[in-house]
Amino acid sequence: MQKIVEFIQDTFKRKDFVPLHEPRFIGNEKKYLNDCIDSTFVSSVGKYVDQFEKEFALKVGSRYAIATVNGTSALHISLILADVQRDDEVITQPLTFIATCNAISYIGAKPIFVDVDLDTMGLSPDSLQSFLEINCEVKENICINKKTGKTIKACVPMHTFGHPCRMEEIKEICDKWSISLVEDAAESLGSYYKGKHTGTFGKVGAFSFNGNKIITSGGGGALVTDDERLAKKAKHLTTTAKIPHPFEYIHDEVAFNYRMPNLNAALLVAQLEQLDSFLKSKRGLAQKYKEFFSNEDIKFIEEPCNPAGTRTKDSKSNYWLQAILLKDKKQRDEFLEFTNKSGVMTRPIWGLMNELEMFKDCQKDDLKNATYLEARIVNIPSSVIL
Ligand SMILES: *Cc1c(COP(=O)(O)O)cnc(C)c1O
């Protein structure tokens, strides 16, 4: 383990402390921020929000993008756009960041947990299909859960650490079962499945620009869609449902103050300009880790790569957070202990959502892959190397 610590310290050229992921502001950040401050438009009006939305949509190949205050709010609105309502059910994976399930819960809907694939670490189309076949029926274009009698409105796959889920199959199953597809692409800006950007397969996709994501606006998010009606609705709902008027306050429904401030968007425009170089650096780092770990009994997680050795080449990952697979929980715990004590920051993958107090009564399928991964996956330092 000392060898691993030294390799990581050498790679990042740091002896004292190697963080898991730190942002890089090496482009036009200060210039645009200054411009923003000088203009006095630091808040909910300003050119950088519009500019960012245009450039972001172009980057991911979507017709519309709407910037929000964070990724969780982008997910919340995405689920509303998919017509998820109180008491509906939403299928997602147990291995995800809490925000996915929080957003579902804000609406008063309930998550259902279906297993992940070992190689993608994201929602498994095979598990999804078998869950639906056993538990559900479609009546008049509505997917009914026979166990609960409730409607399954949406399915939210999440691209874990930037590794794309098998989106074509997931989309086909969702279409067949009349379920809206909403992607949690918070971690996967710059990741593609069969040449198509993650987040653009379903009705809506949500991204995050939190401080630890591949590009950051401090805090921020965005949702993308090709549907003009949904894009307009998203803008409306994220801006207090205010009817445009030169001076009057008229709001036509209860909505949210989820708009990204111009100050954050200024930072983000500069970050987006650097995305391609960040992606290149992360891919280079992945290659280095892969070579290093090929001599260890620890496995480096490659873009869809699984312990059984099967692999598809359909995925291009952004390698946002680099990850390794340890032998078992004991080795994982020793690794976490040793590296963190040595000043190399490492972190286990999230605990399973279905084990949290709030979600422990939610319906779940057999979760053997998620359980296997939860005990073994660790993230290792992943910052863009200067
Ligand atoms: C980061 C993240 C989000 C959203 O996070 P915010 O902090 O609200 O921007 C949502 N889902 C996943 C999987 C994430 O990693």
Side-chain angles (χ1 to χ4, degrees):
M1 283 193 191
Q2 183 57 34
K3 231 174 67 198
I4 300 174
V5 164
E6 281 167 18
F7 174 77
I8 293 175
Q9 286 172 334
D10 288 348
T11 300
F12 287 90
K13 300 178 196 77
R14 280 174 79 158
K15 284 277 168 250
D16 48 341
F17 176 67
V18 187
L20 191 70
H21 195 280
E22 48 181 4
R24 297 284 181 243
F25 303 115
I26 47 181
N28 289 318
E29 285 87 354
K30 286 183 180 161
K31 182 165 164 240
Y32 299 162
L33 281 171
N34 274 332
D35 175 51
C36 193
I37 291 165
D38 290 342
S39 77
T40 77
F41 287 100
V42 295
S43 189
S44 55
V45 179
K47 66 174 187 184
Y48 285 109
V49 175
D50 301 334
Q51 187 182 339
F52 172 72
E53 288 177 342
K54 274 204 195 83
E55 289 172 2
F56 190 74
L58 208 62
K59 190 87 203 169
V60 303
S62 190
R63 283 183 66 198
Y64 306 96
I66 287 88
T68 59
V69 283
N70 54 44
T72 311
S73 58
L75 262 174
H76 183 191
I77 299 295
S78 297
L79 291 164
I80 294 175
L81 297 180
D83 194 35
V84 176
Q85 297 178 22
R86 178 167 296 278
D87 293 330
D88 283 340
E89 295 178 335
V90 176
I91 295 176
T92 191
Q93 60 205 56
L95 204 55
T96 183
F97 178 56
I98 186 78
T100 318
C101 297
N102 279 342
I104 294 167
S105 307
Y106 294 164
I107 299 181
K110 265 205 168 144
I112 294 174
F113 299 109
V114 160
D115 208 6
V116 298
D117 279 325
L118 280 178
D119 56 350
T120 68
M121 300 179 287
L123 193 79
S124 162
D126 306 322
S127 302
L128 176 64
Q129 176 151 338
S130 86
F131 176 86
L132 291 168
E133 280 169 2
I134 293 166
N135 295 284
C136 303
E137 61 186 349
V138 178
K139 272 193 195 157
E140 292 166 17
N141 286 324
I142 293 172
C143 182
I144 307 286
N145 182 345
K146 290 187 282 187
K147 270 221 172 82
T148 60
K150 300 205 164 155
T151 305
I152 298 181
K153 271 289 173 56
C155 171
V156 187
M158 194 281 285
H159 308 288
T160 304
F161 308 140
H163 298 301
C165 301
R166 288 149 63 194
M167 284 317 298
E168 272 186 357
E169 287 161 84
I170 292 173
K171 172 144 180 34
E172 210 176 288
I173 296 164
C174 286
D175 287 348
K176 182 168 164 228
W177 287 84
S178 296
I179 296 172
S180 292
L181 177 57
V182 173
E183 278 171 89
D184 183 344
E187 308 186 348
S188 65
L189 174 58
S191 299
Y192 295 80
Y193 187 73
K194 296 194 179 174
K196 189 171 164 62
H197 200 289
T198 54
T200 65
F201 284 83
K203 206 171 236 175
V204 203
F207 293 84
S208 166
F209 312 113
N210 189 31
N212 63 350
K213 294 298 199 293
I214 192 159
I215 62 170
T216 184
S217 47
L223 62 87
V224 299
T225 180
D226 281 337
D227 184 322
E228 187 183 358
R229 186 184 63 85
L230 293 184
K232 284 194 172 136
K233 188 167 173 192
K235 182 59 95 181
H236 195 58
L237 285 176
T238 53
T239 53
T240 67
K242 185 176 182 297
I243 306 291
H245 189 282
F247 45 83
E248 298 256 33
Y249 292 100
I250 311 163
H251 306 262
D252 64 354
E253 62 184 305
V254 174
F256 306 90
N257 177 16
Y258 278 176
R259 188 173 164 84
M260 177 186 283
N262 201 41
L263 200 57
N264 301 74
L267 190 64
L268 202 48
V269 167
Q271 287 270 288
L272 190 59
E273 291 171 349
Q274 298 162 84
L275 176 62
D276 290 345
S277 71
F278 290 176
L279 288 168
K280 200 163 156 230
S281 165
K282 280 177 180 288
R283 196 155 269 278
L285 179 61
Q287 187 59 31
K288 270 197 188 143
Y289 274 139
K290 182 184 155 188
E291 281 162 23
F292 175 80
F293 282 106
S294 65
N295 302 317
E296 303 285 319
D297 60 349
I298 292 172
K299 194 167 173 42
F300 177 70
I301 304 286
E302 288 178 73
E303 53 197 351
C305 156
N306 83 32
T310 58
R311 181 165 310 166
T312 78
K313 264 294 156 210
D314 297 332
S315 298
K316 186 164 188 205
S317 175
N318 66 2
Y319 282 106
W320 165 58
L321 278 191
Q322 316 272 353
I324 52 176
L325 182 81
L326 285 296
K327 254 197 341 255
D328 50 30
K329 187 151 192 304
K330 182 166 166 288
Q331 194 195 36
R332 182 200 88 156
D333 291 344
E334 285 165 8
F335 181 86
L336 287 166
E337 190 71 36
F338 187 86
T339 47
N340 283 294
K341 212 175 62 209
S342 313
V344 167
M345 193 175 163
T346 59
R347 217 168 45 180
I349 198 166
W350 319 278
L352 300 184
M353 291 299 114
N354 53 290
E355 288 173 4
L356 295 176
E357 190 58 33
M358 312 77 88
F359 304 117
K360 70 180 189 336
D361 296 327
C362 293
Q363 192 175 356
K364 60 179 190 285
D365 205 14
D366 174 21
L367 304 177
K368 65 175 188 307
N369 290 347
T371 306
Y372 178 89
L373 294 169
E374 193 242 345
R376 291 167 179 80
I377 295 280
V378 169
N379 291 123
I380 52 180
S382 308
S383 309
V384 166
I385 294 175
L386 294 172

